[in-house]
Amino acid sequence: MEVNAFAAKKAGEDLEKFNYNLPVIGKEHVDIKVHYCGLCHSDLSMVNNDWGNSKFPLVPGHEIVGEVVALGDEVKGLKKGDKVGLGWFSESCMHCDQCMDGKQHLCSDSEGTIVGRHGGFADHVRGHWSWVTKLPDGIDMSKAGPLFCGGITVFNPIVLSGVQPTDKVGVIGIGGLGHMALKFLKAWGCEVTAFTSNKDKTEALKKMGAHNVVDSTDSKELESIAGSLDFILNTTNVKLDWVAFLTTLAPQGKLHTVGAVLEPMEIPAFSMISGEKSVGGSPLGSIALTRKMLDFCVRHDIYPAVEEFKMEDVNKAIKHLHDGKARFRVVLKA
Ligand SMILES: NC(=O)c1ccc[n+]([C@@H]2O[C@H](COP(=O)([O-])OP(=O)(O)OC[C@H]3O[C@@H](n4cnc5c(N)ncnc54)[C@H](O)[C@@H]3O)[C@@H](O)[C@H]2O)c1
Ligand SMILES: [Zn+2]
């Protein structure tokens, strides 16, 4: 099948129209006709080869929702016409301890949808059946794409870290991932602090569920909430004063990053030792948890705030995100 896509031919370049042929479908694979695809900051990092693992031409796009149009003989649980989603991962080995334990996102042989293969800024995309997740009835497809990367990436650590409804929590960086974290944590029952470097967002953040808004770059504001938070989720990729954030944690609090901070994070041992604090990180989440998150979103009517662009306006969309103008997730309509 010929796929009509948009690809970066070289690192940092604008995307151009790009056609490629998908080989005959494998027994366990599923072809999806793309309806919508979110634009994640990781797409920008892949286009710019920030992580050194990009292969060009590169078709970004890993927050995909669409419809099954073809499937191999051994695909389980899906049929033609099903409405589905596909996120960062599109394949894993299915036999290592992690896969057998339902933690396919931790498989060392997992394959990224846009790492060495072509993603969802296209009319079609292919994935292994295990990662092609059926959408629950009643979900709004025009807003569901970002749940498959940004959404599950912030939902997973809330579950993983055992965040309680009685907890006081903070989210650093209120962009695509951060605003979904605010909405989830509000629904979880927590008292939520948004750490932003852009106070112009304050009203919007309060509407989304932030009880408090703190300037992430103002050490006095950070000092004023010292010792108060049980859990902080970082969604930025920039160097921050991590010690100041650890100081805002209560004893046994946790600082967790999903933001792919490009520089090493400097964490003095004593900022963890006194107060039994910890620092961690995580990639997306399991397939089973992705399904549970989708149900949670339908039950609580939680969707990302999206700005829709046409797929052919992908370069405008990328510039919009790059310039810090996205409020809060850009979605491309195929
Ligand atoms: N762990 C994972 O598996 C995973 C999955 C998806 C995305 N990511 C990463 O998460 C990060 C965020 O992705 P996104 O799509 O939400 O990006 P985004 O650009 O939509 O959001 C980042 C936000 O951080 C804000 N920010 C920048 N500097 C700040 C500062 N000093 N203080 C507070 N806020 C600041 C920006 O204004 C922006 O709103 C990226 O690094 C991305 O690669 C990781
Ligand atoms: Zn992503």
Side-chain angles (χ1 to χ4, degrees):
M1 177 173 44
E2 186 175 56
V3 179
N4 301 299
F6 288 89
K9 300 276 170 66
K10 285 190 191 148
E13 288 195 348
D14 273 2
L15 273 53
E16 295 171 30
K17 280 191 175 167
F18 170 70
N19 290 3
Y20 73 97
N21 278 306
L22 275 174
V24 174
I25 196 163
K27 286 181 181 168
E28 300 188 19
H29 287 97
V30 179
D31 285 345
I32 303 168
K33 182 180 188 321
V34 178
H35 289 194
Y36 297 92
C37 188
L39 171 60
C40 174
H41 208 106
S42 302
D43 291 311
L44 255 58
S45 289
M46 288 297 289
V47 167
N48 293 330
N49 199 16
D50 285 343
W51 305 327
N53 61 347
S54 306
K55 292 203 178 80
F56 297 92
L58 178 126
V59 179
H62 59 274
E63 292 189 334
I64 301 152
V65 287
E67 184 180 337
V68 175
V69 289
L71 64 184
D73 295 344
E74 292 178 12
V75 167
K76 295 177 177 64
L78 294 168
K79 59 178 184 332
K80 266 192 197 175
D82 279 349
K83 302 287 192 299
V84 292
L86 180 70
W88 177 260
F89 294 112
S90 53
E91 193 135 6
S92 54
C93 82
M94 303 287 279
H95 61 83
C96 70
D97 284 353
Q98 301 303 331
C99 283
M100 295 309 284
D101 206 20
K103 298 177 190 151
Q104 297 90 338
H105 61 300
L106 301 180
C107 169
S108 55
D109 285 331
S110 64
E111 293 181 29
T113 303
I114 61 168
V115 186
R117 61 206 292 167
H118 292 315
F121 293 178
D123 55 0
H124 291 87
V125 68
R126 179 171 289 174
H128 187 266
W129 67 263
S130 58
W131 280 103
V132 177
T133 303
K134 218 167 147 176
L135 297 177
D137 290 341
I139 200 161
D140 181 346
M141 280 183 84
S142 68
K143 296 178 180 168
L147 297 171
F148 283 87
C149 176
I152 184 60
T153 298
V154 298
F155 193 79
N156 181 51
I158 298 172
V159 176
L160 195 70
S161 304
V163 172
Q164 301 292 314
T166 45
D167 282 350
K168 295 184 177 176
V169 300
V171 179
I172 313 174
I174 316 299
L177 267 61
H179 92 288
M180 286 186 256
L182 284 188
K183 292 184 177 203
F184 285 139
L185 289 162
K186 169 86 189 307
W188 221 254
C190 302
E191 184 186 295
V192 189
T193 295
F195 292 106
T196 178
S197 50
N198 180 356
K199 280 270 181 120
D200 294 346
K201 290 183 184 170
T202 300
E203 277 319 301
L205 305 189
K206 289 204 162 163
K207 268 194 200 142
M208 257 176 233
H211 298 91
N212 314 302
V213 178
V214 170
D215 184 339
S216 58
T217 60
D218 184 334
S219 52
K220 287 222 170 79
E221 279 201 39
L222 294 179
E223 269 169 38
S224 73
I225 56 161
S228 65
L229 302 176
D230 301 293
F231 176 74
I232 300 175
L233 186 64
N234 171 54
T235 74
T236 69
N237 68 351
V238 295
K239 187 178 168 130
L240 295 173
D241 183 352
W242 303 113
V243 176
F245 283 101
L246 282 164
T247 306
T248 68
L249 286 175
Q252 297 187 324
K254 182 171 190 181
L255 169 65
H256 190 100
T257 188
V258 290
V261 182
L262 293 168
E263 289 180 52
M265 294 171 72
E266 284 169 30
I267 312 280
F270 273 108
S271 61
M272 293 186 286
I273 289 173
S274 32
E276 290 180 5
K277 296 172 186 177
S278 59
V279 178
S282 57
L284 288 94
S286 72
I287 297 165
L289 191 62
T290 304
R291 293 182 185 169
K292 288 180 191 180
M293 173 202 65
L294 294 170
D295 289 342
F296 186 84
C297 289
V298 171
R299 188 157 69 245
H300 294 281
D301 197 26
I302 295 176
Y303 287 103
V306 304
E307 290 175 308
E308 198 173 292
F309 285 68
K310 289 185 197 142
M311 186 74 81
E312 55 261 37
D313 291 333
V314 59
N315 289 313
K316 270 191 212 159
I318 288 175
K319 186 171 185 310
H320 189 67
L321 173 61
H322 175 266
D323 292 348
K325 292 182 180 159
R327 298 288 182 278
F328 281 84
R329 190 53 132 197
V330 169
V331 168
L332 302 174
K333 186 176 191 313

